[in-house]
DNA sequence: AGGCTCCGTATCGATATGCGATACTTAATA
DNA sequence: TATTAAGTATCGCATATCGATACGGAGCCT
């Protein structure tokens, strides 16, 4: 469909976008939000915030505390994510394999999907003692600094890779986080050659990850499997020796179905 | 705010509701949906389906296959659920306790929330070999036939309980599923007396669950913890003896923070 | 291969619907 | 109790959204 250059998109329903903007305000905080705060956070007028918050509440996507008159996300927002994962062709197939790996090797395993310059963890098998955020599906991370992200970027077309690398403002999670586009491109080249990606101290000091894409019969892979370990127990040599073969076997197996 | 009787709700944004209706169509299927199917499934005109699908796609909540021109849920729908759980006061606190229980007792454990006549699983620690749907947060079950649901219903006001029990059309998952309102009410009374709920063969033959609400300082509890086992290994007597004390300790601990 | 059918896409004028301003009410603070 | 800030309700206006419909193309059947 033609999104006329410059002219506005005739099929785009702005009310929907504004409504979602209000819900999205809850990404920024774990707190409840009042109407005025919502208006401020979204750039909507107070009237618009009032209408949308009211509508979301009536539909069950927001909950309103009767005393404080403040809003929170409602349980219902879990629903669509559930159906997304349940219907995802790879998630269901991957689960038993991930579980087996976690049992056998005692490392955390994830199935990750790419969304532009981010990856999203879809199916997770954490290895204990993690925080809630680290075990929930839906968590987003920049692709460039995670092993799964790099494994997936390695399978992009060059133009798409360029676009991701050209984007400014990469976060330095640690002093070792590589943010230089040239260096990242070389890293991706290496991943292309060897077929797996390793990311050490990129998000958290003392954490190392290894990942490989789930092949999809010549098409661009839709997902990657990654394992995450601590550097005190796992050096790169040992990972390549002991984990990479297992990793490749798992991605292979998931791909076959 | 006054939702004038009969007259329409001036603050309700219908576009939002219609837009969500389109997304909600994906609850019914794991397949992709075409425009005509979407229109049929939602009762929207084809024009409306076109506009909303287009808008969702541009926002990343739907993905469109370029070849087939059919739509699927996009990864982005996971996002809000993630933030809901991350911000939920009980979920984060409960997680380590649930994990400990699973390790110690080898049973599946969940933190469940009630939403009207349903419960929604929020934090899950499955005990292996389960299907994907059984380990994902966001799964909905009728409250009346689950141990967690009964534990939460036991703490409702009578009017709310009446409303739930009055609703028609309870599903009989198994021949043992109790659907009679009177019998359920008696069951809930028992739960009130003893402080925990047991549900045997209610959803699946051979499955038994035990649950207790997480107390909230006299207010109505917001969540329940439930454990699920197989009946061949766990009879009611053994559950009461070995699991219920642990269950009460956990709900107590979560409540304290 | 050709014709047919069904589905997705694009366009358009009418108007209901959502818009923001504003006045009112309630609750929190000192 | 005065003051202030936040939430709630109302309303006339204008435009964003509506459904009908015409168009184009993919797939199917004969």
């Amino acid at each position: 469909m033609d999104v006329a250059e410059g002219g506005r998109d005739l099929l785009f329903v702005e009310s929907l976008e504004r409504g979602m903007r209000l819900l999205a305000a809850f990404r920024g905080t774990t707190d409840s939000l009042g109407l005025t705060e919502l208006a401020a956070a979204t750039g909507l007028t107070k009237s618009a915030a009032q209408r949308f918050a009211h509508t979301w509440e009536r539909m069950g996507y927001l909950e309103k505390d009767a005393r404080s008159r403040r809003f929170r996300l409602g349980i219902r927002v879990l629903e669509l994510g559930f159906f997304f994962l349940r219907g995802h062709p790879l998630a269901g197939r991957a689960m038993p394999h991930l579980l087996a790996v976690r049992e056998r090797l005692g490392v955390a395993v994830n199935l990750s999907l790419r969304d532009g310059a981010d990856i999203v963890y879809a199916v997770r098998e954490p290895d204990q003692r993690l925080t809630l955020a680290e075990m929930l599906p839906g968590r987003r991370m920049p692709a460039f600094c995670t092993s799964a992200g790099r494994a997936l970027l390695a399978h992009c077309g060059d133009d798409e890779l360029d676009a991701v690398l050209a984007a400014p403002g990469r976060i330095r999670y640690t002093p070792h986080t590589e943010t230089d586009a040239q260096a990242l491109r070389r890293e991706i080249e290496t991943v292309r050659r060897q077929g797996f990606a390793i990311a050490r101290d990129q998000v958290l000091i003392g954490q190392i990850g290894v990942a490989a894409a789930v092949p999809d019969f010549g098409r661009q892979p839709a997902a990657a499997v990654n394992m995450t370990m601590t550097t005190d127990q796992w050096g790169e040599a040992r990972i390549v020796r002991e984990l990479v073969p297992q990793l490749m076997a798992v991605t292979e197996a998931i791909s076959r179905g």
Side-chain angles (χ1 to χ4, degrees), chain A residues 89-116:
Chain A
L90 291 180
R93 277 198 255 156
M95 214 247 318
H97 295 107
L98 303 188
L99 217 102
V101 166
R102 205 251 316 255
E103 295 303 299
R104 192 150 17 101
L105 304 172
V107 299
V109 207
N110 300 293
L111 184 79
S112 314
L113 312 178
R114 189 168 69 90
D115 186 17

Side-chain angles (χ1 to χ4, degrees), chain A residues 183-203:
Chain A
L184 284 170
R185 177 177 298 279
R186 280 194 302 276
E187 180 61 34
I188 300 290
E189 293 298 344
T190 308
V191 174
R192 280 185 176 153
R193 247 176 289 113
Q194 62 189 12
F196 61 88
I198 289 187
R200 182 190 172 112
D201 296 329
Q202 295 291 291
V203 174

Side-chain angles (χ1 to χ4, degrees), chain A residues 150-216:
Chain A
R150 291 176 182 177
L152 289 169
L153 288 176
H155 288 274
C156 285
D158 274 313
D159 40 352
E160 206 175 347
L161 176 59
D162 286 343
V164 171
L165 290 180
R170 278 184 279 276
I171 303 174
R172 293 182 81 87
Y173 289 95
T174 78
H176 300 106
T177 306
E178 183 59 73
T179 59
D180 178 65
Q182 284 314 311
L184 284 170
R185 177 177 298 279
R186 280 194 302 276
E187 180 61 34
I188 300 290
E189 293 298 344
T190 308
V191 174
R192 280 185 176 153
R193 247 176 289 113
Q194 62 189 12
F196 61 88
I198 289 187
R200 182 190 172 112
D201 296 329
Q202 295 291 291
V203 174
L204 210 62
I205 296 283
Q207 195 179 68
I208 187 165
V210 58
V214 177
D216 189 11

Side-chain angles (χ1 to χ4, degrees), chain A residues 6-217:
Chain A
R8 78 184 228 339
D9 178 351
L10 272 311
L11 290 176
F12 192 80
V13 180
E14 260 151 39
S15 297
L16 212 57
E17 193 264 347
R18 307 167 120 232
M20 283 314 281
R21 218 152 88 209
L22 187 122
L23 266 197
F26 290 90
R27 288 187 299 198
T29 173
T30 77
D31 242 23
S32 61
L33 291 170
L35 228 40
T36 308
E37 289 164 298
L38 280 168
T42 54
L44 300 169
T45 63
K46 199 164 69 157
S47 294
Q50 180 188 19
R51 276 193 302 271
F52 288 123
H54 171 71
T55 307
W56 286 127
E57 192 216 349
R58 275 203 37 195
M59 293 196 287
Y61 293 91
L62 283 183
E63 275 166 20
K64 183 183 194 173
D65 183 69
R67 290 192 53 76
S68 67
R69 279 108 206 273
R70 296 167 68 81
F71 296 89
R72 289 191 168 286
L73 289 175
I75 324 178
R76 177 145 311 178
V77 298
L78 284 175
E79 200 167 43
L80 286 170
F82 172 78
F83 285 105
F84 169 78
L85 284 174
R86 170 208 257 241
H88 194 282
L90 291 180
R93 277 198 255 156
M95 214 247 318
H97 295 107
L98 303 188
L99 217 102
V101 166
R102 205 251 316 255
E103 295 303 299
R104 192 150 17 101
L105 304 172
V107 299
V109 207
N110 300 293
L111 184 79
S112 314
L113 312 178
R114 189 168 69 90
D115 186 17
D118 291 337
I119 58 156
V120 180
Y121 293 114
V123 185
R124 315 197 70 175
E125 292 294 345
D127 92 321
Q128 254 59 298
R129 87 181 68 199
L130 295 171
T131 84
L132 183 64
E134 284 168 320
M135 64 162 294
L136 292 175
R139 183 184 177 84
R140 238 161 226 276
M141 291 294 296
F144 79 92
C145 63
T146 60
S147 58
R150 291 176 182 177
L152 289 169
L153 288 176
H155 288 274
C156 285
D158 274 313
D159 40 352
E160 206 175 347
L161 176 59
D162 286 343
V164 171
L165 290 180
R170 278 184 279 276
I171 303 174
R172 293 182 81 87
Y173 289 95
T174 78
H176 300 106
T177 306
E178 183 59 73
T179 59
D180 178 65
Q182 284 314 311
L184 284 170
R185 177 177 298 279
R186 280 194 302 276
E187 180 61 34
I188 300 290
E189 293 298 344
T190 308
V191 174
R192 280 185 176 153
R193 247 176 289 113
Q194 62 189 12
F196 61 88
I198 289 187
R200 182 190 172 112
D201 296 329
Q202 295 291 291
V203 174
L204 210 62
I205 296 283
Q207 195 179 68
I208 187 165
V210 58
V214 177
D216 189 11
F217 305 103

